[in-house]
């Protein structure tokens, strides 16, 4: 009997690296495709992992297939069908999913202009279902659609790995026990559910753009994950204005990344940023996405479109002083009417201080000091300190910056605020 030669370590490593790279890229689509078969995201993820193990065993021996992604998808889907066949209710499940054999394609669904037949989109709506907590939605989205491991999610959000693992497990269990349908909602329900999806993506981006805690001001990988999800969603839902609005907002925000930190890692404020370091390609993408958002909008603009329009004002301004602050103040007024929030009002006050005078904005900021939602929010005393400094009331400004520093959880931001306090002497 001839024994096949054992592959040398180098090809084995190459095959293993290929498997891991392809799986990270394709796992969201694989999990989405398998979920459509088994109707359970937890089981679908396990079957996708089984396919990964099979690839790690077979590819070093048999060679890397011509289409690695399709190989993994087929392996996972075949395992899904085998699992269904083993169930006692196989006949009912088989009829439900309309499969006659392992390689049969899923059934064609009724042509409906209000239906979006895309498994990846279904998975995104499922992972962001309102039945889950915000923390669970975020962790599950990064796990299933971002391709991040539990350890990577834990590092990104500075929480213990077991905490993230629990959130993911509980989220999958909740979706299963509550029989959450694997579907894109329709009609009015879609609009309500879409807001949850957009909010999760925005939350992921924001945590990377200005980390709430820890030693690092930026976590670029989270920004990249959120931006990729926003672009995918915009491609899947081309008629949704707010989807394009979110994509535009993230493109504009991401364009400033290189200018937002000094070489030593400390934050650089917007007025001090070197705008030649802003990424013009991302700004162009933002302009295009904003155009699509405006073209598809019906009625009053949504909150993400308005925020994207505000970001566009900054992107188009040659300098901080030349920014169209009056337009920004107007846009924040519209945003406050559309989505009332004390944080929006605080940002509007900043725009008013720039378009008029600092003294005009101080009463607006003071009126927010009693809002319970801003209790403990470090940017409120930070903004107030800036206004007082511009008014020449430096001793008061120093007190406000010190108070802001005491509330900040991010070390880099705390150092910046303490430095601003010291500058008031």
């Amino acid at each position: 009997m001839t024994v096949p030669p054992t592959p040398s370590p180098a090809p084995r490593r190459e095959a293993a690296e290929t498997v891991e790279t392809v799986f990270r890229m394709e796992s969201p689509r694989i999990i989405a495709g398998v979920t459509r078969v088994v109707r359970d995201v937890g089981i679908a993820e396990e079957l996708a992992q089984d396919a990964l193990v099979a690839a790690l065993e077979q590819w070093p021996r048999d060679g890397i297939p011509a289409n690695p992604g399709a190989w993994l998808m087929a392996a996972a889907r075949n395992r899904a069908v085998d699992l269904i066949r083993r169930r006692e209710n196989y006949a009912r499940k088989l009829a439900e999913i309309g499969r006659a054999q392992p390689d049969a394609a899923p059934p064609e669904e009724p042509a409906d202009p209000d239906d979006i037949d895309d498994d990846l989109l279904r998975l995104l709506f499922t992972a962001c279902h309102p039945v889950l907590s915000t923390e669970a939605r975020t962790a599950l989205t990064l796990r299933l659609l971002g391709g991040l491991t539990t350890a990577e999610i834990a590092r990104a959000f500075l929480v213990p790995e077991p905490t993230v693992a629990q959130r993911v497990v509980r989220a999958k269990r909740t979706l299963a026990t509550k029989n959450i349908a694997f579907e894109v909602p329709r009609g009015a329900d879609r609009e309500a559910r879409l807001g949850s999806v957009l909010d999760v993506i925005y939350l992921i981006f924001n945590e990377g753009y200005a980390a709430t805690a820890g030693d690092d001001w930026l976590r670029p990988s989270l920004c990249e994950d959120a931006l990729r999800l926003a672009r995918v969603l915009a491609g899947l839902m081309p008629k949704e204005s707010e989807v394009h609005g979110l994509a535009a907002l993230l493109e504009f925000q991401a364009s400033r990344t290189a200018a937002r930190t000094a070489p030593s890692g400390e934050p650089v404020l917007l007025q001090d940023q070197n705008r030649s370091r802003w990424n013009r390609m991302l700004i162009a993408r933002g302009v295009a996405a904003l155009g699509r958002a405006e073209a598809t909008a019906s009625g009053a603009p949504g909150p993400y479109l308005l925020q994207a329009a505000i970001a566009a004002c900054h992107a188009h301004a040659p300098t901080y002083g030349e920014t169209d602050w009056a337009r920004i103040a107007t846009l924040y007024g519209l945003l406050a009417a559309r989505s009332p929030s004390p944080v929006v009002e605080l940002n509007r006050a900043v725009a008013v201080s720039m378009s008029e005078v600092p003294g005009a904005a101080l009463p607006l900021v003071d009126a927010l000091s009693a809002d319970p939602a801003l209790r403990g929010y470090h940017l409120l005393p930070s903004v107030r300190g800036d206004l007082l400094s511009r008014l020449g009331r430096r001793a008061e400004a120093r007190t406000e910056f010190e108070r802001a520093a005491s509330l900040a959880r991010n070390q880099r931001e705390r150092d910046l605020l303490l430095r601003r306090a010291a500058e008031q002497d």
Side-chain angles (χ1 to χ4, degrees):
M1 182 179 69
T2 304
V3 178
T6 302
S8 64
R12 277 204 302 268
R13 282 197 302 273
E14 180 185 350
E17 289 170 359
T18 300
V19 172
E20 291 172 6
T21 300
V22 172
F23 186 77
R24 192 174 184 107
M25 294 171 58
E26 296 293 331
S27 62
R29 297 183 186 279
I30 295 169
I31 294 169
V34 175
T35 301
R36 188 174 184 188
V37 177
V38 298
R39 303 288 168 170
D40 185 307
V41 293
I43 293 174
E45 188 182 16
E46 291 175 9
L47 293 173
Q49 291 290 337
D50 288 346
L52 171 64
V53 172
L56 288 169
E57 292 173 349
Q58 295 180 38
W59 292 10
R61 182 188 67 222
D62 303 336
I64 299 170
N67 191 331
W71 191 101
L72 287 167
M73 176 67 85
R77 287 169 71 90
N78 287 342
R79 281 164 173 74
V81 173
D82 289 342
L83 174 65
I84 291 173
R85 280 180 167 168
R86 289 195 299 269
R87 292 176 176 173
E88 291 182 355
N89 60 355
Y90 166 70
R92 180 175 63 81
K93 285 292 183 182
L94 189 63
E96 203 175 274
I97 63 172
R99 295 179 65 90
Q101 51 188 0
D103 57 354
E108 291 295 326
E109 299 189 356
D112 185 337
D114 196 35
D115 182 40
I116 302 177
D117 184 16
D118 191 287
D119 291 336
L120 197 59
L121 191 58
R122 296 170 195 262
L123 183 62
L124 186 53
F125 269 91
T126 302
C128 296
H129 198 284
V131 74
L132 304 174
S133 68
T134 300
E135 294 82 4
R137 288 179 229 164
T138 303
L140 194 60
T141 299
L142 285 172
R143 173 81 176 181
L144 298 182
L145 290 121
L148 273 66
T149 65
T150 302
E152 287 170 333
I153 299 170
R155 281 198 300 272
F157 284 92
L158 301 181
V159 295
E161 190 173 336
T163 300
V164 173
Q166 275 189 339
R167 287 175 186 172
V168 171
V169 169
R170 287 174 182 168
K172 291 189 286 191
R173 186 186 302 132
T174 298
L175 293 174
T177 57
K178 291 187 178 293
N179 294 317
I180 299 302
F182 183 64
E183 64 182 8
V184 176
R186 303 183 182 188
D189 189 35
R190 176 182 295 174
E191 183 177 354
R193 292 272 302 281
L194 179 59
S196 174
V197 174
L198 298 179
D199 290 347
V200 167
I201 296 174
Y202 188 47
L203 187 154
I204 293 170
F205 182 88
N206 262 355
E207 188 58 33
Y209 190 71
T212 55
D215 297 329
D216 296 320
W217 172 241
L218 290 177
R219 294 176 194 147
S221 61
L222 280 180
C223 292
E224 291 165 7
D225 286 324
L227 189 54
R228 178 167 54 82
L229 287 171
R231 289 170 178 169
V232 167
L233 188 59
L236 297 174
M237 304 186 78
K239 297 180 181 179
E240 293 288 348
S241 173
E242 278 293 84
V243 172
H244 294 300
L246 175 65
L249 174 61
L250 301 195
E251 299 282 7
F252 285 131
Q253 299 285 65
S255 72
R256 305 179 205 160
T257 299
R260 293 187 69 240
T261 54
S264 56
E266 69 266 21
V268 178
L269 297 175
L270 181 62
Q271 60 263 36
D272 300 323
Q273 288 176 19
N274 179 355
R275 299 191 174 210
S276 68
R277 300 188 67 199
W278 287 6
N279 189 313
R280 294 297 154 185
M281 183 189 73
L282 292 180
I283 290 175
R285 291 183 67 110
V287 170
L290 180 57
R292 289 190 289 271
E294 292 171 338
T296 53
S298 59
Y304 285 111
L305 193 160
L306 289 169
Q307 290 179 78
I310 291 167
C313 290
H314 292 295
H316 291 313
T319 65
Y320 186 76
E322 293 175 89
T323 305
D324 190 347
W325 291 107
R327 175 167 168 74
I328 290 177
T330 299
L331 288 169
Y332 270 123
L334 294 173
L335 183 59
R338 181 72 168 77
S339 300
S341 160
V343 174
V344 171
E345 291 292 354
L346 183 61
N347 284 318
R348 186 173 76 86
V350 172
V352 168
S353 78
M354 295 300 299
S355 63
E356 300 178 28
V357 291
L362 193 57
L364 301 178
V365 174
D366 288 343
L368 295 171
S369 61
D371 194 310
L374 294 184
R375 188 178 297 122
Y377 186 56
H378 68 288
L379 291 183
L380 177 61
S382 174
V383 168
R384 194 169 191 276
D386 183 69
L387 295 176
L388 291 168
S389 179
R390 288 161 60 193
L391 288 168
R393 296 161 59 177
R394 294 187 172 275
E396 295 172 80
R398 179 189 178 101
T399 300
E400 292 296 321
F401 283 130
E402 288 174 343
R403 184 161 157 292
S406 71
L407 295 172
R409 294 168 54 203
N410 182 277
Q411 185 60 50
R412 295 288 188 180
E413 198 167 13
R414 190 180 303 122
D415 292 343
L416 171 64
L417 290 165
L418 289 173
R419 187 166 65 251
R420 295 205 69 191
E423 290 170 354
Q424 305 308 310
D425 291 336

